[in-house]
Amino acid sequence: MCQLLGLNCATPTDAQFSFSGLRRRGGATDHHGDGWGIAFFEGKGLRLFVDCESAAHSPMANFLRHYPLKSTHIIAHVRKATEGAVRLENTHPFCRVLWGRHWVFAHNGDLKNYQPHLHSHFHPVGDTDSERAFCWLLQELAKSHASLPSVAELTLTLRELLPQVRAHGSFNFLLSNGEALWAHCSTQLHYLVRQHPFSHATLMDEDWTVNFAEVNQPGDRAAVVVTTPLTRDERWTPFAAGELKVFVGGLPLADG
Protein backbone atom coordinates (compact mmCIF):
# COMPACT_ATOMS: atom_id res chain seq x y z
CA MET A 1 0.00 0.00 0.00
CA CYS A 2 0.95 3.67 -0.36
CA GLN A 3 0.88 6.78 1.82
CA LEU A 4 -1.08 9.95 1.04
CA LEU A 5 -0.67 13.58 2.09
CA GLY A 6 -3.03 16.42 1.22
CA LEU A 7 -3.16 20.04 2.33
CA ASN A 8 -6.04 22.44 1.83
CA CYS A 9 -5.22 25.91 3.15
CA ALA A 10 -6.88 29.27 3.68
CA THR A 11 -3.66 31.08 2.67
CA PRO A 12 -0.62 29.87 0.68
CA THR A 13 1.30 27.46 2.89
CA ASP A 14 4.47 25.45 2.41
CA ALA A 15 4.42 21.69 2.95
CA GLN A 16 8.04 21.42 4.06
CA PHE A 17 7.25 20.07 7.53
CA SER A 18 4.61 17.52 6.51
CA PHE A 19 6.43 16.47 3.34
CA SER A 20 9.58 15.78 5.36
CA GLY A 21 7.69 13.32 7.53
CA LEU A 22 6.04 11.67 4.53
CA ARG A 23 9.35 11.51 2.66
CA ARG A 24 10.96 9.48 5.47
CA ARG A 25 8.24 6.86 5.01
CA GLY A 26 9.27 6.53 1.37
CA GLY A 27 12.08 4.05 2.01
CA ALA A 28 13.57 5.03 5.41
CA THR A 29 11.13 4.54 8.30
CA ASP A 30 8.70 2.54 6.15
CA HIS A 31 8.74 0.47 2.97
CA HIS A 32 6.99 2.80 0.49
CA GLY A 33 10.08 3.08 -1.69
CA ASP A 34 8.66 2.62 -5.22
CA GLY A 35 8.46 6.27 -6.20
CA TRP A 36 6.95 9.51 -4.98
CA GLY A 37 5.35 12.71 -6.21
CA ILE A 38 3.99 16.05 -5.07
CA ALA A 39 1.73 18.61 -6.78
CA PHE A 40 1.35 22.29 -5.86
CA PHE A 41 -1.46 24.43 -7.26
CA GLU A 42 -0.65 28.08 -7.95
CA GLY A 43 -3.94 29.68 -8.92
CA LYS A 44 -4.92 27.78 -12.08
CA GLY A 45 -1.30 26.74 -12.61
CA LEU A 46 0.31 23.57 -11.30
CA ARG A 47 3.80 22.45 -10.32
CA LEU A 48 4.13 18.66 -10.45
CA PHE A 49 7.22 16.73 -9.35
CA VAL A 50 7.40 12.92 -9.67
CA ASP A 51 10.27 10.44 -9.36
CA CYS A 52 10.40 6.65 -9.45
CA GLU A 53 13.28 6.62 -6.91
CA SER A 54 12.43 6.28 -3.23
CA ALA A 55 11.48 9.57 -1.62
CA ALA A 56 13.92 9.05 1.24
CA HIS A 57 16.90 8.93 -1.16
CA SER A 58 15.73 11.00 -4.15
CA PRO A 59 17.87 14.07 -4.94
CA MET A 60 14.74 15.82 -6.24
CA ALA A 61 12.91 15.19 -2.95
CA ASN A 62 15.92 16.53 -1.08
CA PHE A 63 15.84 19.65 -3.25
CA LEU A 64 12.17 20.23 -2.41
CA ARG A 65 12.91 19.58 1.26
CA HIS A 66 15.06 22.73 1.19
CA TYR A 67 13.06 24.75 -1.35
CA PRO A 68 9.57 25.33 0.07
CA LEU A 69 6.83 26.07 -2.42
CA LYS A 70 3.72 27.75 -1.03
CA SER A 71 0.24 26.73 -2.15
CA THR A 72 -3.34 26.50 -0.94
CA HIS A 73 -3.71 22.96 -2.39
CA ILE A 74 -1.00 20.29 -2.18
CA ILE A 75 -1.17 16.54 -2.82
CA ALA A 76 1.77 14.20 -2.19
CA HIS A 77 2.22 10.43 -2.39
CA VAL A 78 4.84 7.79 -1.64
CA ARG A 79 4.30 4.52 -3.46
CA LYS A 80 4.42 0.86 -2.55
CA ALA A 81 3.65 -0.79 -5.88
CA THR A 82 0.81 -3.33 -5.96
CA GLU A 83 -0.02 -3.05 -9.67
CA GLY A 84 2.13 -1.57 -12.42
CA ALA A 85 5.91 -1.57 -12.67
CA VAL A 86 8.12 0.89 -10.82
CA ARG A 87 8.31 3.42 -13.64
CA LEU A 88 7.83 7.15 -13.89
CA GLU A 89 4.49 6.89 -15.72
CA ASN A 90 3.07 4.89 -12.80
CA THR A 91 4.06 7.44 -10.17
CA HIS A 92 1.39 9.46 -8.34
CA PRO A 93 -0.04 12.11 -8.30
CA PHE A 94 -1.62 11.91 -11.73
CA CYS A 95 -2.80 15.03 -13.53
CA ARG A 96 -5.39 15.71 -16.25
CA VAL A 97 -7.25 18.79 -17.54
CA LEU A 98 -11.05 19.05 -17.38
CA TRP A 99 -13.18 22.18 -17.93
CA GLY A 100 -10.00 24.22 -18.32
CA ARG A 101 -8.71 23.24 -14.86
CA HIS A 102 -5.93 20.96 -13.71
CA TRP A 103 -7.12 17.97 -11.69
CA VAL A 104 -4.72 16.03 -9.46
CA PHE A 105 -5.33 12.56 -8.03
CA ALA A 106 -3.42 10.17 -5.75
CA HIS A 107 -4.60 6.74 -4.58
CA ASN A 108 -3.78 4.28 -1.83
CA GLY A 109 -5.36 0.87 -2.26
CA ASP A 110 -5.73 -2.11 -4.53
CA LEU A 111 -8.52 -2.51 -7.09
CA LYS A 112 -8.91 -6.09 -8.29
CA ASN A 113 -9.90 -6.84 -11.90
CA TYR A 114 -10.61 -3.17 -12.49
CA GLN A 115 -10.88 -2.45 -16.21
CA PRO A 116 -13.46 0.35 -16.64
CA HIS A 117 -14.77 1.22 -20.08
CA LEU A 118 -12.94 4.39 -21.10
CA HIS A 119 -14.38 5.96 -24.22
CA SER A 120 -13.63 9.68 -23.92
CA HIS A 121 -10.25 11.43 -24.11
CA PHE A 122 -9.26 10.31 -20.59
CA HIS A 123 -6.94 7.32 -20.93
CA PRO A 124 -4.09 6.10 -18.72
CA VAL A 125 -0.48 6.60 -19.71
CA GLY A 126 0.77 3.91 -17.33
CA ASP A 127 -0.67 0.58 -16.25
CA THR A 128 -1.94 1.13 -12.70
CA ASP A 129 -5.43 0.58 -11.36
CA SER A 130 -5.10 4.03 -9.76
CA GLU A 131 -4.72 5.92 -13.03
CA ARG A 132 -7.56 3.94 -14.60
CA ALA A 133 -9.83 4.92 -11.71
CA PHE A 134 -8.83 8.58 -12.07
CA CYS A 135 -9.54 8.57 -15.80
CA TRP A 136 -12.92 6.94 -15.24
CA LEU A 137 -13.92 9.44 -12.55
CA LEU A 138 -13.08 12.39 -14.79
CA GLN A 139 -14.85 10.79 -17.74
CA GLU A 140 -18.02 10.34 -15.68
CA LEU A 141 -17.80 13.84 -14.20
CA ALA A 142 -17.52 15.24 -17.73
CA LYS A 143 -20.59 13.24 -18.79
CA SER A 144 -22.57 14.54 -15.81
CA HIS A 145 -21.72 18.26 -16.15
CA ALA A 146 -21.26 20.37 -19.27
CA SER A 147 -19.04 22.88 -17.46
CA LEU A 148 -17.34 23.27 -14.10
CA PRO A 149 -20.06 22.89 -11.44
CA SER A 150 -20.00 24.03 -7.85
CA VAL A 151 -18.05 22.13 -5.21
CA ALA A 152 -21.35 20.91 -3.74
CA GLU A 153 -22.52 19.55 -7.10
CA LEU A 154 -19.19 17.84 -7.73
CA THR A 155 -19.36 16.24 -4.29
CA LEU A 156 -22.84 14.85 -4.97
CA THR A 157 -21.73 13.38 -8.30
CA LEU A 158 -18.64 11.81 -6.73
CA ARG A 159 -20.82 10.18 -4.05
CA GLU A 160 -22.88 8.58 -6.81
CA LEU A 161 -19.82 7.31 -8.68
CA LEU A 162 -17.68 5.96 -5.83
CA PRO A 163 -19.58 2.71 -5.13
CA GLN A 164 -18.79 1.51 -8.66
CA VAL A 165 -15.06 1.74 -7.92
CA ARG A 166 -15.21 0.60 -4.28
CA ALA A 167 -16.79 -2.66 -5.44
CA HIS A 168 -13.35 -3.66 -6.77
CA GLY A 169 -11.34 -3.14 -3.58
CA SER A 170 -9.77 -0.50 -1.36
CA PHE A 171 -10.02 3.06 -2.67
CA ASN A 172 -8.44 5.70 -0.44
CA PHE A 173 -7.78 8.78 -2.53
CA LEU A 174 -7.14 12.53 -2.67
CA LEU A 175 -8.51 14.66 -5.52
CA SER A 176 -8.20 18.40 -6.13
CA ASN A 177 -8.80 20.98 -8.85
CA GLY A 178 -7.18 23.82 -6.92
CA GLU A 179 -10.56 24.93 -5.55
CA ALA A 180 -11.29 22.12 -3.09
CA LEU A 181 -9.73 18.91 -1.78
CA TRP A 182 -11.81 15.72 -1.82
CA ALA A 183 -10.63 12.88 0.40
CA HIS A 184 -12.21 9.43 0.39
CA CYS A 185 -11.51 6.73 2.94
CA SER A 186 -11.94 3.07 2.15
CA THR A 187 -9.70 1.59 4.85
CA GLN A 188 -7.55 4.29 6.52
CA LEU A 189 -7.31 8.08 6.44
CA HIS A 190 -6.88 10.83 9.08
CA TYR A 191 -7.08 14.61 9.18
CA LEU A 192 -6.53 17.62 11.41
CA VAL A 193 -6.97 21.39 11.09
CA ARG A 194 -4.13 23.69 12.16
CA GLN A 195 -5.45 27.13 13.05
CA HIS A 196 -5.22 29.90 15.64
CA PRO A 197 -4.25 29.46 18.44
CA PHE A 198 -1.37 27.50 16.93
CA SER A 199 0.77 25.07 18.94
CA HIS A 200 3.85 22.85 18.64
CA ALA A 201 4.01 19.71 16.50
CA THR A 202 6.69 17.00 16.36
CA LEU A 203 7.11 14.58 13.47
CA MET A 204 6.95 10.86 14.18
CA ASP A 205 9.47 9.95 11.48
CA GLU A 206 12.04 12.70 11.96
CA ASP A 207 13.44 14.68 14.88
CA TRP A 208 11.76 17.97 13.96
CA THR A 209 9.49 20.14 16.10
CA VAL A 210 7.78 23.30 14.82
CA ASN A 211 6.04 25.99 16.84
CA PHE A 212 3.36 26.97 14.34
CA ALA A 213 2.56 30.11 16.38
CA GLU A 214 5.95 31.49 15.28
CA VAL A 215 5.45 30.89 11.55
CA ASN A 216 1.74 31.62 11.07
CA GLN A 217 -0.60 34.61 11.24
CA PRO A 218 -4.00 34.45 12.98
CA GLY A 219 -5.82 34.16 9.63
CA ASP A 220 -3.77 31.17 8.46
CA ARG A 221 -5.42 27.77 8.53
CA ALA A 222 -4.55 24.40 7.01
CA ALA A 223 -6.38 21.08 6.84
CA VAL A 224 -3.93 18.19 6.61
CA VAL A 225 -5.08 14.77 5.37
CA VAL A 226 -2.82 11.72 5.70
CA THR A 227 -2.98 7.95 5.59
CA THR A 228 -1.46 7.60 9.07
CA PRO A 229 -0.72 10.50 11.46
CA LEU A 230 2.55 12.32 10.81
CA THR A 231 2.94 13.96 14.23
CA ARG A 232 3.00 12.57 17.75
CA ASP A 233 1.53 15.51 19.68
CA GLU A 234 -1.49 16.60 17.60
CA ARG A 235 -5.02 15.21 17.67
CA TRP A 236 -5.77 13.46 14.38
CA THR A 237 -9.36 12.53 13.49
CA PRO A 238 -9.87 9.21 11.70
CA PHE A 239 -12.23 9.00 8.73
CA ALA A 240 -15.02 6.45 8.83
CA ALA A 241 -14.87 3.66 6.27
CA GLY A 242 -16.64 4.79 3.10
CA GLU A 243 -16.53 8.47 4.10
CA LEU A 244 -15.98 11.24 1.55
CA LYS A 245 -14.94 14.63 2.93
CA VAL A 246 -14.41 17.86 1.04
CA PHE A 247 -12.16 20.63 2.34
CA VAL A 248 -12.37 24.30 1.35
CA GLY A 249 -10.42 27.17 2.89
CA GLY A 250 -8.66 24.86 5.33
CA LEU A 251 -11.85 23.42 6.82
CA PRO A 252 -14.00 20.35 6.14
CA LEU A 253 -17.40 21.34 4.81
CA ALA A 254 -20.23 20.45 7.18
CA ASP A 255 -21.98 18.30 4.58
CA GLY A 256 -18.72 16.74 3.32
Side-chain angles (χ1 to χ4, degrees):
M1 294 296 185
C2 308
Q3 292 265 314
L4 300 168
L5 165 65
L7 279 81
N8 170 267
C9 312
T11 56
T13 302
D14 77 67
Q16 189 177 24
F17 179 72
S18 296
F19 179 65
S20 293
L22 182 75
R23 181 193 174 196
R24 294 284 297 163
R25 295 179 181 181
T29 61
D30 214 332
H31 56 225
H32 308 91
D34 296 330
W36 66 276
I38 186 167
F40 304 82
F41 281 90
E42 294 185 17
K44 291 185 177 182
L46 182 74
R47 296 181 188 264
L48 176 64
F49 301 87
V50 293
D51 193 352
C52 54
E53 291 190 38
S54 68
H57 304 103
S58 164
M60 185 186 297
N62 187 58
F63 165 76
L64 291 176
R65 165 68 173 77
H66 298 285
Y67 189 82
L69 294 169
K70 291 190 174 184
S71 173
T72 55
H73 291 81
I74 299 166
I75 290 180
H77 180 276
V78 291
R79 184 178 183 226
K80 176 64 176 177
T82 56
E83 182 177 334
V86 180
R87 294 197 296 261
L88 196 61
E89 63 265 31
N90 290 329
T91 306
H92 309 221
F94 301 106
C95 178
R96 295 291 190 279
V97 175
L98 173 61
W99 301 310
R101 299 290 294 264
H102 290 289
W103 290 75
V104 172
F105 174 89
H107 169 227
N108 164 33
D110 190 14
L111 301 173
K112 300 295 186 183
N113 302 313
Y114 184 65
Q115 297 292 336
H117 181 49
L118 300 173
H119 53 78
S120 72
H121 65 282
F122 298 108
H123 290 277
V125 176
D127 52 7
T128 65
D129 53 344
S130 305
E131 192 180 13
R132 289 193 295 273
F134 179 38
C135 289
W136 183 81
L137 284 175
L138 290 189
Q139 172 183 279
E140 299 305 305
L141 287 174
K143 286 165 58 178
S144 300
H145 304 280
S147 59
L148 179 65
S150 68
V151 170
E153 290 177 293
L154 283 166
T155 304
L156 288 173
T157 305
L158 284 170
R159 289 190 193 284
E160 295 173 355
L161 296 174
L162 290 179
Q164 298 181 59
V165 185
R166 282 200 305 256
H168 292 268
S170 54
F171 194 46
N172 308 287
F173 73 78
L174 300 176
L175 174 71
S176 181
N177 63 355
E179 182 181 6
L181 173 70
W182 288 268
H184 176 260
C185 175
S186 180
T187 55
Q188 188 178 26
L189 215 56
H190 299 77
Y191 81 96
L192 60 74
V193 174
R194 292 191 183 118
Q195 59 186 341
H196 183 78
F198 294 97
S199 59
H200 294 76
T202 302
L203 290 173
M204 288 186 176
D205 298 83
E206 187 173 343
D207 185 17
W208 188 4
T209 299
V210 168
N211 180 1
F212 284 104
E214 296 179 348
V215 297
N216 285 281
Q217 302 298 318
D220 295 338
R221 183 174 57 245
V224 186
V225 183
V226 294
T227 302
T228 55
L230 289 173
T231 55
R232 65 180 76 254
D233 45 7
E234 293 181 290
R235 181 174 294 179
W236 294 86
T237 301
F239 282 59
E243 187 174 18
L244 175 69
K245 285 186 175 295
V246 56
F247 298 84
V248 176
L251 288 172
L253 296 187
D255 60 350

